[in-house]
Amino acid sequence: MRRFAFSIGASFAAYAACATLAMASSFGPLVTPSQLKAGLASTAPIILDIRAKGYDAGHIEGAISAPYGLFRGPSNDPGQVPALDKLEASYERLGLTLDRPVVVVSQGDTDSDFGAAARVYWTLKSSGFKDLSILNGGASNWANAGFAFSTTPVTPAPTQLSIQWNNAWTANTPAVNQIVEGQAKAILVDARPTPFFEGKKMHDAAARPGTLPGAQNLPYSQFFSPGATAIAPKPDVTALKAKLGIQDGDEVVSFCNTGHWAATDWFALSELAGIDNVKLYPGSMVEYSATDGEMANTPGLIANFLNQLRGGN
């Protein structure tokens, strides 16, 4: 640990300078292609290209390939957060540092794809990164803005980090069980399309269809204009709170199948609407349905079988 000795005046001046720099370097939770292009030289962000494919064919100049899978769990529980030491090792290989802005870039070809960027943002924030942004509309929006791509791969210099997980934005299965059983209070928000909420469809890795008892359905797509792949940057906070019945101090838990669509709801409620105490349940219904916990909107055996024949998965 390094030790510094400053006079009070010098210390305050240094703090003020750092605060000004931090403010100047931050794009905010969302950044447009034009804002990112204009700020590349002055801000020097780390750009994480989280696409599973397409990086070699063309990426934002200087971007580092960081496929979404690095931030996800195994196929039987995709929403699971990787072990902290595994995350730390990935961050170090990607050359991440806590003192530089990070911009997350997905493909941006569908509104569902935004969930990947939001999930990575949530993971980084929970790991201690503070200056984070998502390129709204992703690589597709960058191309639509007329900006060029590079085909020169970037190999970052490895870094050394010591990260800790901040549970302020995380709800795990035991905590969700307590809410369902009435031992704790929270507003449960199901971010999935309505057929999943109603139990008419289920994820392939889920053990049972249905939703959490008492949950409200707020499909992630409601935060996008029809046909848009960029999220609306200014949700109606008053309307959201009224719709969900959120009062000051309430805990809100966003969930879906695997913590992907739920990350969009979390991002919209927490980062864009500025609502306090919003948590993401990363394992979501795939993880919860494998327990013996109570569920709602679960059809009977015959109805469930018919749903599967009609393409319920």
Side-chain angles (χ1 to χ4, degrees):
M1 178 182 295
R2 297 181 181 179
R3 298 180 180 273
F4 297 91
F6 290 120
S7 68
I8 293 177
S11 179
F12 179 80
Y15 170 82
C18 289
T20 301
L21 179 60
M23 290 175 62
S25 67
S26 177
F27 292 112
L30 284 176
V31 61
T32 66
S34 295
Q35 290 169 337
L36 179 58
K37 178 71 172 176
L40 282 176
S42 59
T43 307
I46 297 172
I47 301 174
L48 294 183
D49 187 323
I50 65 168
R51 296 176 295 167
K53 56 184 179 179
Y55 178 86
D56 292 338
H59 53 267
I60 297 172
E61 187 173 3
I64 298 163
S65 180
Y68 186 33
L70 292 176
F71 303 87
R72 300 284 276 167
S75 59
N76 65 325
D77 189 5
Q80 184 183 93
V81 178
L84 197 60
D85 59 346
K86 185 176 180 181
L87 273 179
E88 186 175 282
S90 293
Y91 297 162
E92 291 175 342
R93 286 195 300 271
L94 294 171
L96 300 188
T97 63
L98 294 169
D99 58 353
R100 282 183 65 187
V102 178
V103 178
V104 182
V105 179
S106 62
Q107 181 58 55
D109 53 349
T110 66
D111 57 8
S112 178
D113 183 69
F114 186 89
R119 177 63 188 254
V120 172
Y121 179 110
W122 170 83
T123 306
L124 291 168
K125 181 171 183 174
S126 298
S127 303
F129 292 84
K130 300 183 184 302
D131 198 348
L132 297 166
S133 303
I134 292 174
L135 177 61
N136 203 6
S140 295
N141 207 16
W142 181 268
N144 291 338
F147 299 137
F149 286 112
S150 170
T151 55
T152 302
V154 176
T155 303
T159 53
Q160 289 190 331
L161 295 172
S162 179
I163 61 172
Q164 294 183 336
W165 189 264
N166 186 341
N167 281 311
W169 306 285
T170 304
N172 58 23
T173 296
V176 170
N177 276 326
Q178 288 188 323
I179 297 167
V180 170
E181 294 169 1
Q183 300 172 12
K185 292 184 177 180
I187 295 171
L188 299 172
V189 179
D190 190 333
R192 298 176 298 172
T194 301
F196 287 95
F197 173 75
E198 293 178 341
K200 296 175 181 177
K201 297 184 72 173
M202 62 183 282
H203 191 279
D204 289 337
R208 296 176 284 165
T211 190
L212 297 177
Q216 302 179 66
N217 193 203
L218 185 67
Y220 76 93
S221 56
Q222 292 189 16
F223 293 104
F224 298 80
S225 297
T229 60
I231 196 169
K234 296 181 179 179
D236 187 330
V237 181
T238 301
L240 277 173
K241 286 185 173 181
K243 178 180 177 66
L244 299 173
I246 299 174
Q247 303 293 326
D248 290 345
D250 284 346
E251 179 177 307
V252 180
V253 176
S254 174
F255 69 95
C256 59
N257 288 320
T258 67
H260 175 95
W261 290 329
T264 294
D265 274 21
W266 172 84
F267 184 86
L269 294 169
S270 174
E271 307 302 278
L272 299 182
I275 298 174
D276 293 329
N277 208 18
V278 182
K279 299 178 184 292
L280 171 68
Y281 179 22
S284 286
M285 292 309 299
V286 164
E287 190 169 303
Y288 182 86
S289 68
T291 72
D292 59 0
E294 181 184 353
M295 289 179 61
N297 297 348
T298 299
L301 290 176
I302 294 177
N304 187 35
F305 176 71
L306 292 174
N307 284 337
Q308 305 319 309
L309 289 179
R310 299 185 186 111
N313 282 333

